[in-house]
Amino acid sequence: MSILTQRSTRYSTLSISLHWLMLLLIAAVYACIELKGNFPKGSDTRELLKQWHFMLGLSVFALVWLRLLARLIRPAPPITPALPNWQAVPAKLMHLALYALMIGLPLAGWLVLSAAGKPIPFFGLELPALIGKNPDLAGNLKEWHELGGVIGYWLIGLHAVAAVVHHHILRDDTLTRMLPGK
Ligand code: HEM
């Protein structure tokens, strides 16, 4: 089989790099907001943790577009042995939900700060507000953002459990397709 017609058994290097980089980023986004509760209101550390939550969350938003582009250029490699439909369909839905989360959650966070009339920091820059100041809406959006955060824990957890089950119990190549290597 020539190099042109050969189907890869792994995701592209770009997709693999973005997958693991974004996992680290998302873990840090969660860690910042969870750890902030340990510091008194108004303290520098608490404020700093919030700023990092915003900036790393916005980085997820920036990178997810590149990730989608990489996925579009090089679609997902097939799983061997192929999954039956009852597994393939929920897997696809789960991936769609994860992409929706990586776009929707940061966007909701950006809207919260916009509606609250607060600055939107991004590594020394200040991003524009997406909507005008509206404290009531800010409160509502914050609740949606928090609910999205909880849903995110479940989706990411299920996604990780599924990867381990595929690797150790079903013994297919679902996970190795996303691992770096030769
Ligand atoms: C992957 C991206 C993100 C995830 C997973 C995430 C998740 C979360 C979670 C779990 C909370 C805590 C909810 C609670 O206390 O119950 C939170 C709070 C918050 N997030 Fe995010 N977030 C993300 C991105 C962003 C971005 C990009 C911004 C703004 C630019 C943002 C703004 C906020 C705000 C304003 C709060 C409330 C903080 C406070 O208590 O004062 N988030 N987020």
Side-chain angles (χ1 to χ4, degrees), residues 26 29-30 33-34 36 50 53-54 57-58 60 101 105-107 109-110 112-113 120 142 145-146 149-150 153:
I26 292 168
V29 169
Y30 273 118
I33 211 70
E34 297 292 353
K36 106 176 194 279
K50 274 209 241 178
H53 175 78
F54 304 154
L58 288 166
V60 170
L101 191 91
L105 259 183
L107 192 60
W110 192 343
V112 174
L113 291 183
I120 299 132
K142 191 170 158 187
H145 181 73
E146 289 172 0
V150 175
Y153 274 129

Side-chain angles (χ1 to χ4, degrees), residues 19-39:
H19 177 275
W20 297 106
L21 170 68
M22 289 176 80
L23 172 66
L24 289 179
L25 276 174
I26 292 168
V29 169
Y30 273 118
C32 287
I33 211 70
E34 297 292 353
L35 287 173
K36 106 176 194 279
N38 297 329
F39 300 92

Side-chain angles (χ1 to χ4, degrees), residues 78-134:
I79 293 174
T80 315
L83 298 185
N85 257 351
W86 70 268
Q87 282 179 34
V89 173
K92 207 155 220 129
L93 290 176
M94 168 62 100
H95 295 159
L96 274 176
L98 286 165
Y99 281 114
L101 191 91
M102 289 185 280
I103 294 171
L105 259 183
L107 192 60
W110 192 343
L111 288 168
V112 174
L113 291 183
S114 307
K118 292 188 179 156
I120 299 132
F122 191 64
F123 301 103
L125 301 174
E126 199 176 298
L127 300 188
L130 294 176
I131 48 175
K133 191 169 174 183
N134 181 341

Side-chain angles (χ1 to χ4, degrees), residues 15-87:
S15 285
I16 294 175
S17 312
L18 284 169
H19 177 275
W20 297 106
L21 170 68
M22 289 176 80
L23 172 66
L24 289 179
L25 276 174
I26 292 168
V29 169
Y30 273 118
C32 287
I33 211 70
E34 297 292 353
L35 287 173
K36 106 176 194 279
N38 297 329
F39 300 92
K41 281 201 166 140
S43 66
D44 286 350
T45 314
R46 189 178 168 108
E47 284 312 306
L48 200 68
L49 284 169
K50 274 209 241 178
Q51 301 282 310
W52 277 101
H53 175 78
F54 304 154
M55 295 191 297
L56 297 177
L58 288 166
S59 308
V60 170
F61 187 67
L63 288 174
V64 71
W65 303 107
L66 182 61
R67 187 159 169 194
L68 281 169
L69 190 69
R71 177 77 156 65
L72 213 69
I73 295 171
R74 265 266 300 270
I79 293 174
T80 315
L83 298 185
N85 257 351
W86 70 268
Q87 282 179 34

